[in-house]
Amino acid sequence: MKEQTPTIHNAAKYGEIAKTVLMPGDPLRAKYIAEKFLENPRLVSDIRNIYCYTGTYQGKEVSVMASGMGAGSMSIYSYELFHFYDVDAIIRVGSAGGMHPSLKLRDVVVALASSTDNGYARHFNLPGDIAPCADYGLVSGAVDYAKAHGMSVRVGPVVSGEGFYYSDEWMKKWTDMGVLAVEMESAALYMNAMEAGKRAVALCTISDLMFNGAACTPQERQESFDDMILMALSLA
């Protein structure tokens, strides 16, 4: 593995990235997490401004790296982390649009499984349709943390969209199947984790509600993201 690092997408040397990685989509969010929550964070990669930091949290080494937006970007970075940097677990920390009417703003959705309309699964040449899912241990740990800290959490399926702007009809069809929320990266992450025999979970804060147009204020987004980040760090 170490012979394949650094890569054209990641300047870190083998051993400079921790076994557990938190992955927000936004590079500036990665910088924020590292500087606010990690002790002695050091920047180990900034190729294409996709920042990766490694530090410690409560004595445990943890890395934070941006994934960028969408399945294509997530598929590259998570694949390299699992296969070239020997990462054991990736915890996505991001936002999602709430589709199911039972959701409230600032709820945290733990994505148990991730449907998708993108074609990334074709890469694996499977003789059928895969149902990419999260690691049970990480899901269980997130739920336990939420209960202990009074957080509003929902566990269930999400849909990982290839696009961003969808029709109401598209949303309704997924909602009628019990899908809770829409985001863009979890399906590719889960497929890569399953193929590599590694662990992954996507934690998504509901920042807006697709069914009525409600959205968090900037302050609410910040506060609720911090709660979710602490949940993710507890899993490390």
Side-chain angles (χ1 to χ4, degrees):
M1 293 181 184
K2 65 179 66 177
E3 293 80 8
Q4 296 172 292
T5 60
T7 77
I8 62 173
H9 310 105
N10 195 328
K13 298 176 182 177
Y14 185 84
E16 290 185 330
I17 296 178
K19 294 295 186 181
T20 299
V21 178
L22 272 61
M23 292 199 85
D26 184 356
L28 293 180
R29 178 70 61 179
K31 182 175 185 290
Y32 169 82
I33 295 171
E35 293 178 348
K36 180 167 183 176
F37 296 97
L38 299 187
E39 296 177 3
N40 302 315
R42 61 190 186 278
L43 183 67
V44 296
S45 182
D46 62 357
I47 293 177
R48 295 178 178 242
N49 288 328
I50 295 293
Y51 302 133
C52 180
Y53 294 84
T54 297
T56 59
Y57 179 76
Q58 296 182 352
K60 173 75 173 182
E61 190 177 58
V62 179
S63 292
V64 182
M65 184 177 185
S67 69
M69 286 192 294
S73 188
M74 171 59 87
S75 69
I76 293 170
Y77 292 109
S78 62
Y79 183 93
E80 291 185 352
L81 289 175
F82 285 138
H83 286 277
F84 302 157
Y85 289 91
D86 203 23
V87 166
D88 290 333
I90 295 177
I91 304 167
R92 165 163 155 69
V93 284
S95 60
M99 297 199 302
H100 200 275
S102 64
L103 289 173
K104 306 182 300 297
L105 292 176
R106 302 180 67 174
D107 281 352
V108 173
V109 169
V110 181
L112 188 63
S114 183
S115 300
T116 187
D117 61 358
N118 71 53
Y120 187 61
R122 298 191 189 100
H123 171 74
F124 301 100
N125 296 314
L126 298 167
D129 296 325
I130 190 171
C133 60
D135 174 78
Y136 175 77
L138 293 175
V139 171
S140 178
V143 172
D144 289 345
Y145 180 91
K147 289 178 178 177
H149 292 81
M151 293 176 62
S152 180
V153 67
R154 292 289 303 277
V155 180
V158 302
V159 58
S160 195
E162 185 171 30
F164 186 82
Y165 298 102
Y166 286 107
S167 67
D168 292 341
E169 181 183 10
W170 187 93
M171 298 281 185
K172 185 178 185 304
K173 287 181 177 179
W174 285 111
T175 304
D176 288 347
M177 291 296 291
V179 169
L180 297 176
V182 58
E183 50 82 76
M184 299 181 71
E185 291 81 29
S186 60
L189 170 61
Y190 287 4
M191 287 185 226
N192 277 351
M194 294 169 73
E195 183 272 337
K198 301 297 182 73
R199 302 189 301 150
V201 69
L203 309 178
C204 299
T205 295
I206 299 302
S207 58
D208 53 300
L209 300 175
M210 315 308 293
F211 51 87
N212 64 13
C216 289
T217 66
Q219 182 177 356
E220 288 172 335
R221 284 175 183 258
Q222 187 64 65
E223 292 171 352
S224 53
F225 266 73
D226 282 1
D227 291 340
M228 175 183 62
I229 291 162
L230 289 170
M231 172 191 282
L233 287 168
S234 77
L235 301 179

